Amino acid sequence: MKTQRAVIIVLYVVAMFMVSIDGTIVNVLLPTIANEFGVAPGATNAINIGYLVSIAIALPAAGYLSNRFGVKKMYLLSVSLFTFASLLCGLADSLQALILARVLQGLAGGIITPVSMTLLFRTFSPPERQNLSRSLVLPIAFAPAIGPLVGGFFSEYLSWNWAFFINIPFGLIIVLIGLYAVNEFELFKAPFDTKGYVLIAIGLPMLMLTLSLIASEGISLAVVMCAVIGVFLLRRFYVYEQQIKEPLLDVHLYEEPQFRSSSLVAMCSMGALMGMLYLFPLMYQYTYSASPLESSLITFTEALGLMVASKLLPGMAKRFGMLFTVRLGLIGTVIIFCCIAIIGPSANPWLLRGLMFLMGVCLGHSVIGSQISAFHHVAKSQMSKATTLYNMLNRVGAAAGIALVATTLTVTSRYFSEMHSYQYALIATVGLLLAGLGCSLFTKENETILKGEKA
């Protein structure tokens, strides 16, 4: 039993790491890919948009699939598909082939994320999850932070293809381990909600596409139409899911204050993190004409701070309570974001590394703490659907953070210098952190449980 629990931790970390790092590793490689395929840099946006939209299509079905066919089976199948798609990405000889392979990769990644969390959370009890905080932070926040670093290394010393080939050995190993070392969980069979899936499988990608287009093209009639259609369909989905007996996603989970508020806090925190990881390399490269690798060596210290946060969190939660710890992390991150915006990227590189490290420590407490809090009262039978809901909000938050930064840059660049535009965009991400702090004020959790005592 202990062996299986240890294996599940490893499987969770490695699989989620692969999916998370693939969300940022490509960003620094886009100019290289555009040059190799002989296309305009703007055409490469479809590489990320295709990945993002396909994840949004797959996510809603993940809960049903794992309940119907088994968590272990869907985990192994999705990791296998992701590994195969990574091979196709690395072998792509045209932009169109790469985009199609990324779509396939996104479909697999959309299932891996909630299924991996279900695998972990159905194995360990709520008190045990606090002691697993290091395992939780690695794939969620550490991987996106080192994605640009790995991508910059491949861009400078190897080739962009290796950004995808690197997934293959890890994928093969975890499939073999999972096949023989993990037992299947209890099934919770229910009919498939076809109408609900159609509504969200169109509505959610439309919303994600809207945010991606805002980030790349700004506001236009097409973007507004996508937003209107997406919001309308998601509203229809929410109302419909409340009315039927066997919904695709149990939106009644949002009636539980702790799950709802913690999910929103995590969404805002992830938006701020991804916005920063998107913005700062641009700022630093502009100031110093630095390479992608050089700029990523600055942001990398943020990942080290997240590692420290994972060690500190259990003790902080036990002493002050998880809710207060999350709020303290958000307040600390707001202060650090403001400091970076004020001093700008021209400050001493070691000062910037120190601030990035402290940002990782503070933001790590809010990201990990909100995830632990969100699933504290969720029953095992509802875990698959709860992890799907949680990850959907996380994806929307990440896209919103990047869109907010890009839109702010576009608007402010018309009236201010480029340097000031970067600083205003960074201040805009503070708004996401304040929104997360506001969400945390609308819940009262059971502090005795979250401090590690038995209820």
Side-chain angles (χ1 to χ4, degrees):
M1 184 64 178
K2 288 184 178 181
T3 301
Q4 174 166 303
R5 288 158 71 90
V7 167
I8 285 175
I9 294 174
V10 173
L11 295 181
Y12 169 83
V13 170
V14 177
M16 291 283 284
F17 197 93
M18 286 197 308
V19 175
S20 297
I21 199 173
D22 263 53
T24 57
I25 194 173
V26 179
N27 290 340
V28 297
L29 299 174
L30 294 181
T32 303
I33 293 173
N35 182 62
E36 179 164 331
F37 291 148
V39 299
T44 60
N45 285 333
I47 296 173
N48 282 337
I49 292 176
Y51 183 71
L52 195 65
V53 171
S54 58
I55 283 179
I57 292 173
L59 259 174
Y64 166 81
L65 292 173
S66 59
N67 281 339
R68 176 65 179 83
F69 300 104
V71 178
K72 174 184 174 179
K73 289 186 181 68
M74 291 312 304
Y75 172 83
L76 295 177
L77 179 62
S78 57
V79 172
S80 299
L81 183 60
F82 189 89
T83 304
F84 177 66
S86 297
L87 175 63
L88 294 181
C89 287
L91 294 176
D93 57 0
S94 68
L95 180 62
Q96 292 75 17
L98 179 57
I99 293 171
L100 289 175
R102 281 285 279 177
V103 168
L104 183 62
Q105 195 180 43
L107 290 173
I111 296 175
I112 288 176
T113 303
V115 170
S116 295
M117 291 180 68
T118 302
L119 187 71
L120 189 75
F121 289 169
R122 285 182 65 176
T123 302
F124 296 92
S125 65
E128 291 175 315
R129 293 170 200 161
Q130 288 192 44
N131 297 325
L132 291 172
S133 57
R134 172 182 281 186
S135 300
L136 298 178
V137 72
L138 273 170
I140 295 169
F142 185 77
I146 71 166
L149 178 63
V150 177
F153 175 83
F154 288 141
S155 176
E156 196 155 326
Y157 297 108
L158 295 172
S159 70
W160 65 266
N161 312 75
W162 283 96
F164 301 104
F165 288 150
I166 194 174
N167 292 328
I168 297 173
F170 292 106
L172 292 175
I173 290 172
I174 62 178
V175 167
L176 291 174
I177 293 175
L179 193 62
Y180 295 103
V182 177
N183 298 324
E184 186 57 272
F185 291 89
E186 176 187 1
L187 300 180
F188 299 102
K189 295 185 178 181
F192 185 65
D193 176 16
T194 305
K195 180 178 178 180
Y197 180 73
V198 171
L199 288 172
I200 196 170
I202 298 176
L204 186 59
M206 291 295 283
L207 182 61
M208 301 292 279
L209 183 61
T210 298
L211 296 174
S212 297
L213 291 175
I214 288 174
S216 61
E217 300 178 11
I219 304 295
S220 66
L221 180 60
V223 171
V224 172
M225 289 300 296
C226 283
V228 170
I229 294 172
V231 171
F232 173 77
L233 292 177
L234 289 177
R235 173 62 182 168
R236 288 286 302 145
F237 170 80
Y238 187 83
V239 173
Y240 176 73
E241 294 296 285
Q242 289 181 312
Q243 297 172 345
I244 64 174
K245 185 178 180 180
E246 297 291 347
L248 177 70
L249 299 177
D250 189 358
V251 295
H252 292 291
L253 285 166
Y254 286 133
E255 295 174 4
E256 204 285 305
Q258 188 167 310
F259 178 79
R260 180 180 65 248
S261 63
S262 296
S263 297
L264 291 173
V265 170
M267 179 184 75
C268 294
S269 299
M270 186 56 64
L273 173 64
M274 297 306 291
M276 167 62 85
L277 293 178
Y278 171 80
L279 175 65
F280 189 84
L282 296 177
M283 294 174 62
Y284 196 72
Q285 290 177 50
Y286 165 76
T287 303
Y288 290 112
S289 298
S291 69
L293 180 59
E294 290 171 331
S295 64
S296 62
L297 287 172
I298 298 289
T299 57
F300 175 69
T301 56
E302 182 263 347
L304 300 179
L306 290 167
M307 293 293 295
V308 172
S310 70
K311 297 290 290 183
L312 297 177
L313 180 66
M316 289 286 290
K318 187 174 182 179
R319 183 173 182 180
F320 300 109
M322 189 66 77
L323 183 58
F324 182 81
T325 300
V326 169
R327 290 172 180 168
L328 194 62
L330 288 169
I331 293 171
T333 308
V334 167
I335 295 172
I336 293 167
F337 270 41
C338 291
C339 288
I340 295 176
I342 292 171
I343 66 174
S346 58
N348 183 285
W350 283 104
L351 175 59
L352 292 172
R353 291 188 181 101
L355 288 172
M356 283 288 178
F357 174 80
L358 291 176
M359 184 188 80
V361 173
C362 293
L363 195 58
H365 280 82
S366 62
V367 170
I368 310 168
S370 57
Q371 184 185 74
I372 294 173
S373 298
F375 298 100
H376 195 276
H377 298 302
V378 177
K380 287 186 176 181
S381 61
Q382 293 291 91
M383 192 61 72
S384 294
K385 293 182 178 180
T387 55
T388 300
L389 285 172
Y390 181 88
N391 280 285
M392 284 170 56
L393 283 183
N394 254 14
R395 294 292 178 179
V396 172
I402 295 174
L404 177 64
V405 165
T407 303
T408 304
L409 282 175
T410 300
V411 173
T412 56
S413 63
R414 300 171 185 170
Y415 309 102
F416 304 98
S417 67
E418 190 168 5
M419 179 56 63
H420 283 113
S421 295
Y422 287 130
Q423 292 174 312
Y424 289 134
L426 186 53
I427 291 295
T429 62
V430 173
L432 289 174
L433 295 170
L434 294 176
L437 183 60
C439 291
S440 72
L441 299 177
F442 289 95
T443 184
K444 292 182 180 180
E445 64 187 5
N446 188 329
E447 292 287 349
T448 60
I449 295 178
L450 292 178
K451 286 182 181 181
E453 302 171 15
K454 293 183 179 180

